[in-house]
Amino acid sequence: MNGKIKGIIACAAIVVCLGGALAVLKLTEKTEVDNSSQASSQVESKVDKIMLTELSTEKISSVDVSNSFGTFTVKKSESGKGTWSIPALEGLNQSVAEQTSLIKSCAELKAKKMVEENAGDTDKYGFGNPRGSFVINLSDGTKKSFEVGDILPEEKNYCYFREADSKTIYTISDYDVSRLLKDVKEFLNKTLIEKPTEEEEIYGKLTVQRPDFEKDMIFTDDTNESSMMSAQVMISPIYSYLNGTNSTSTTHGIWSLKADYAEVIFPEADDLKKYGLDKPCTTVLYSGNGKEYKFTIGDPIYLKDTDGNATTVIDAYYCYLEGVEGTDCIWVVASDLLPWTTVVPEDVITSVMTYNDITSLDEIVVDAEGKSIVYGIEADDEDVTSATIDGKDVNVDQFKSFYQYILTCPTSEIYSTDPQEERFLSIDIKSANGGDKLEFFKDSTTERKAIVKLNGVTSYRIPIKWTEKFVKNITLLDEGKDVEESY
């Protein structure tokens, strides 16, 4: 290797070494700067948090609040063990969480910064007419009083704050004092009916009443255990299985129902009349598990536009609940939580008039054209193993198609007017889980329709051609031919 190349390599090595040393120094310098910055930030953070109160909640006996909505007191419960109550709301279910949060806010009031130490004019900060004031009463008899001033013009999340009659002005998070500026009614528990426990397995009965209904909508448990999507059925105005997805809010929405706020506490008869609850647009009744509820829905509240004018869109309703202690209020509940105001049977029923799993069938008895036919079924847990017509073996696959046709009986037209004509066809499905009985009657108003009673209740009107095709399929199955699946 010649001397020139050796020199270049040596220089390169020196540069690499120097570069590495400089990098180490730079990294060290950066770490020191970062650590210094972090320490400085922590100091600044501590400086920013000016503790105006540092109290144990155990030492607070009560807090007296005054704001634009009125006055109220949050006091320690009689037990004195960390629970609180508001005497003005006695007899109503109160929010323990809201009360506890208010007390904790009072115990640790943290100002962001001092604005002015000896203010000559405190009115400019909003203390001439403060948004709120409160007194913290301690168990040793001492008191601490504070006032909440205006929102900062440049920082909407902060407001001016001071100890009562003090000329030292601070800023504080508006959120930290927000509960002290609330209406006392905001400290109510807004969950109206608690969700039933797992032990309460019986659904009971839920009834929806509306002026536009000829008959009430009534829901109860499906005692047939028919393996449909819903464990409940409609028994009025017709008998019908339910679409599990579409019906749940109607059948179960009353549980865990939550109000936006209470409009009136302990309402009188005139209050109920004022908000349309003397003549409700909807009434929901529930009975079951030893409980009786009556939930009435009164006048609507319309959404407002940007100018503050009411639109035609319903945002909420005034509501009243009976049967649950501690809820004696006129409540405002969002309209999307109240499906009973608009629901109709067609919204919640299934498209299948009858459904019993084919493996659970014992027999099907058909009366058609003056003749009774018995279809026998044998099945294991997974499939039908054999089928008979009046004791005569029949092709299993053809019988499955025959039963599948029964399941296509349409539910598109709900009908509750009792038929005037004689019954001309019946299908009695007998199952280990209960079964169903379909009875068909000629419609005296038209030759194109048949009226159907499901389990003894007039429920539907269907095209007469469905019954004509069914009678034809009786013959096809008996002759060992494939049944026709459409009508």
Side-chain angles (χ1 to χ4, degrees):
M1 184 181 296
N2 61 38
K4 187 175 181 179
I5 293 175
K6 287 181 181 180
I8 293 171
I9 293 173
C11 289
I14 292 169
V15 169
V16 169
C17 291
L18 287 172
L22 287 170
V24 170
L25 288 171
K26 199 68 179 176
L27 287 170
T28 305
E29 179 186 352
K30 185 178 187 304
T31 302
E32 289 173 354
V33 169
D34 287 347
N35 289 339
S36 174
S37 175
Q38 185 176 358
S40 174
S41 176
Q42 289 174 350
V43 170
E44 287 175 5
S45 178
K46 289 179 180 178
V47 170
D48 283 347
K49 293 181 180 179
I50 304 171
M51 299 303 298
L52 303 181
T53 61
E54 290 185 271
L55 303 169
S56 166
T57 57
E58 295 299 317
K59 293 183 178 180
I60 298 176
S61 59
S62 64
V63 176
D64 300 319
V65 179
S66 177
N67 57 40
S68 61
F69 295 101
T71 62
F72 64 91
T73 297
V74 183
K75 60 182 291 187
K76 190 164 287 184
S77 65
E78 297 299 326
S79 67
K81 294 182 179 179
T83 56
W84 305 86
S85 65
I86 298 176
L89 300 177
E90 185 176 355
L92 298 174
N93 298 329
Q94 301 179 32
S95 171
V96 175
E98 284 292 314
Q99 293 167 357
T100 302
S101 294
L102 181 145
I103 296 299
K104 286 183 176 179
S105 295
C106 292
E108 296 184 359
L109 288 166
K110 306 180 188 74
K112 182 183 180 184
K113 64 181 179 180
M114 181 193 297
V115 178
E116 193 171 353
E117 187 172 9
N118 188 23
D121 179 13
T122 60
D123 288 1
K124 68 181 180 180
Y125 298 112
F127 294 110
N129 183 25
R131 292 192 296 147
S133 62
F134 58 98
V135 179
I136 304 171
N137 302 296
L138 303 177
S139 54
D140 63 3
T142 59
K143 301 175 183 291
K144 290 183 177 292
S145 303
F146 298 92
E147 293 179 337
V148 182
D150 290 343
I151 298 286
L152 269 65
E154 71 280 4
E155 292 185 82
K156 301 300 182 184
N157 293 331
Y158 287 86
C159 62
Y160 297 111
F161 189 77
R162 72 170 182 175
E163 196 162 352
D165 299 324
S166 172
K167 291 183 178 295
T168 302
I169 312 300
Y170 299 93
T171 60
I172 195 169
S173 167
D174 200 55
Y175 175 79
D176 288 348
V177 295
S178 60
R179 289 179 178 83
L180 296 155
L181 303 175
K182 286 184 175 182
D183 189 330
V184 66
K185 293 180 292 188
E186 290 296 319
F187 291 85
L188 290 169
N189 183 349
K190 301 179 185 68
T191 298
L192 304 185
I193 302 176
E194 296 294 340
K195 187 177 180 180
T197 62
E198 292 182 3
E199 288 76 20
E200 296 175 325
E201 296 179 354
I202 300 174
Y203 174 77
K205 182 172 74 172
L206 185 134
T207 302
V208 181
Q209 299 176 336
R210 283 214 312 259
D212 59 317
F213 283 171
E214 291 184 9
K215 293 183 179 180
D216 296 342
M217 287 179 64
I218 303 176
F219 305 92
T220 189
D221 273 321
D222 180 7
T223 55
N224 287 343
E225 300 178 5
S226 59
S227 301
M228 292 296 286
M229 289 188 293
S230 173
Q232 283 70 51
V233 291
M234 178 190 290
I235 59 173
S236 175
I238 64 167
Y239 184 97
S240 177
Y241 296 113
L242 302 177
N243 182 312
T245 302
N246 295 348
S247 65
T248 301
S249 62
T250 299
T251 56
H252 291 75
I254 198 165
W255 290 288
S256 302
L257 184 63
K258 192 169 184 178
D260 288 344
Y261 59 91
E263 179 71 19
V264 181
I265 62 174
F266 306 117
E268 302 290 340
D270 286 346
D271 297 313
L272 297 175
K273 183 177 181 180
K274 177 181 177 181
Y275 294 100
L277 291 158
D278 59 330
K279 296 178 181 178
C281 71
T282 307
T283 301
V284 182
L285 306 172
Y286 172 80
S287 61
N289 300 305
K291 298 177 175 63
E292 300 279 341
Y293 305 138
K294 181 179 181 181
F295 183 67
T296 51
I297 304 172
D299 289 343
I301 302 170
Y302 292 95
L303 199 64
K304 292 183 178 180
D305 60 23
T306 53
D307 296 325
N309 300 314
T311 66
T312 58
V313 179
I314 297 175
D315 185 45
Y317 286 87
Y318 296 108
C319 302
Y320 187 72
L321 174 65
E322 299 173 65
V324 180
E325 291 185 8
T327 62
D328 188 12
C329 303
I330 294 176
W331 300 95
V332 172
V333 182
S335 59
D336 58 2
L337 299 180
L338 303 173
W340 312 285
T341 59
T342 56
V343 68
V344 293
E346 290 86 348
D347 295 336
V348 296
I349 66 172
T350 180
S351 59
V352 179
M353 189 181 299
T354 176
Y355 181 82
N356 294 271
D357 191 289
I358 194 168
T359 60
S360 72
L361 301 183
D362 294 327
E363 63 179 21
I364 300 174
V365 180
V366 174
D367 287 327
E369 299 179 338
K371 181 182 178 181
S372 181
I373 308 167
V374 178
Y375 298 87
I377 303 99
E378 294 290 338
D380 56 26
D381 292 338
E382 296 184 357
D383 206 351
V384 175
T385 55
S386 66
T388 60
I389 301 175
D390 291 333
K392 181 184 70 174
D393 287 339
V394 65
N395 181 279
V396 169
D397 289 334
Q398 290 175 344
F399 173 78
K400 287 181 180 179
S401 297
F402 179 74
Y403 183 61
Q404 182 64 39
Y405 183 82
I406 295 175
L407 300 183
T408 68
C409 191
T411 62
S412 53
E413 184 181 356
I414 289 175
Y415 195 78
S416 58
T417 302
D418 288 337
Q420 304 300 313
E421 303 289 336
E422 293 293 321
R423 187 183 73 187
F424 68 89
L425 171 67
S426 72
I427 305 171
D428 192 358
I429 302 168
K430 299 181 180 182
S431 166
N433 295 329
D436 288 303
K437 186 172 184 178
L438 286 66
E439 299 174 276
F440 301 83
F441 303 79
K442 293 285 181 65
D443 185 352
S444 58
T445 64
T446 174
E447 295 181 353
R448 296 182 292 107
K449 301 280 187 177
I451 297 170
V452 185
K453 282 189 176 182
L454 179 59
N455 298 325
V457 179
T458 302
S459 302
Y460 302 98
R461 192 161 66 163
I462 68 168
I464 194 73
K465 60 183 180 180
W466 186 93
T467 63
E468 294 169 347
K469 182 58 65 69
F470 177 73
V471 171
K472 181 178 180 181
N473 281 338
I474 292 173
T475 302
L476 292 173
L477 181 63
D478 186 51
E479 294 175 351
K481 299 177 181 177
D482 291 341
V483 301
E484 297 179 11
E485 297 180 0
S486 63
Y487 60 94

